[in-house]
Amino acid sequence: MAKYSSKINKIRTFALSLIFVGFIVMYVGVYFRNSPTIMTIFMILGLLFIIASTVVYFWIGMLSTKTIQVKCPNCGKATKMLGRVDMCMYCREPLTLDPELEGKEFDEKYNKKR
Ligand SMILES: [Zn+2]
């Protein structure tokens, strides 16, 4: 169970790593300052990663509006869930909106359309 984390947190981590990759790529580009073409390519690549991250952050914003606020039955805190099944942001208790799935083993694939 511990390998699952709340989906929005997962996407947020992804967006953050994109920024890091972007900066690393740009940093590598600085080493090629003697050849402006290669440096420019690295700079553009790095910039693309950062733009991609901005897009992902925007997407998180969009997703956040679709989340449903629920009270976690396990820890009692208000958490947000996305899709049919998700996980409590605080205690990682699997949550479901679908009574059919209640009590079943948590599985990401329940979110996919059948
Ligand atoms: Zn909880």
Side-chain angles (χ1 to χ4, degrees):
M1 288 282 177
K3 70 180 170 175
Y4 293 108
S5 65
S6 176
K7 255 168 266 168
I8 285 184
N9 285 344
K10 225 183 268 178
I11 301 166
R12 205 169 271 151
T13 310
F14 175 67
L16 199 67
S17 53
L18 276 179
I19 291 183
F20 277 117
V21 171
F23 277 116
I24 290 165
V25 169
M26 284 170 117
Y27 188 72
V28 170
V30 174
Y31 283 100
F32 294 98
R33 56 177 167 270
N34 293 326
S35 61
T37 317
I38 297 172
M39 195 178 114
T40 308
I41 289 167
F42 272 102
M43 289 299 164
I44 290 168
L45 265 176
L47 206 65
L48 282 178
F49 274 109
I50 291 163
I51 291 167
S53 149
T54 315
V55 172
V56 173
Y57 269 115
F58 184 72
W59 183 46
I60 295 169
M62 300 280 282
L63 283 179
S64 303
T65 63
K66 282 190 213 156
T67 55
I68 304 145
Q69 188 116 26
V70 291
K71 197 167 177 259
C72 172
N74 191 42
C75 65
K77 284 180 181 147
T79 183
K80 285 170 191 157
M81 61 178 294
L82 188 65
R84 290 173 75 203
V85 289
D86 206 349
M87 198 160 257
C88 173
M89 288 193 289
Y90 305 99
C91 66
R92 297 179 171 224
E93 167 85 3
L95 304 166
T96 179
L97 284 177
D98 195 335
E100 214 181 288
L101 298 172
E102 220 161 287
K104 285 191 187 170
E105 189 79 17
F106 179 82
D107 199 327
E108 288 276 352
K109 70 172 180 273
Y110 290 142
N111 282 317
K112 298 202 178 94
K113 286 189 181 105
R114 283 180 294 187

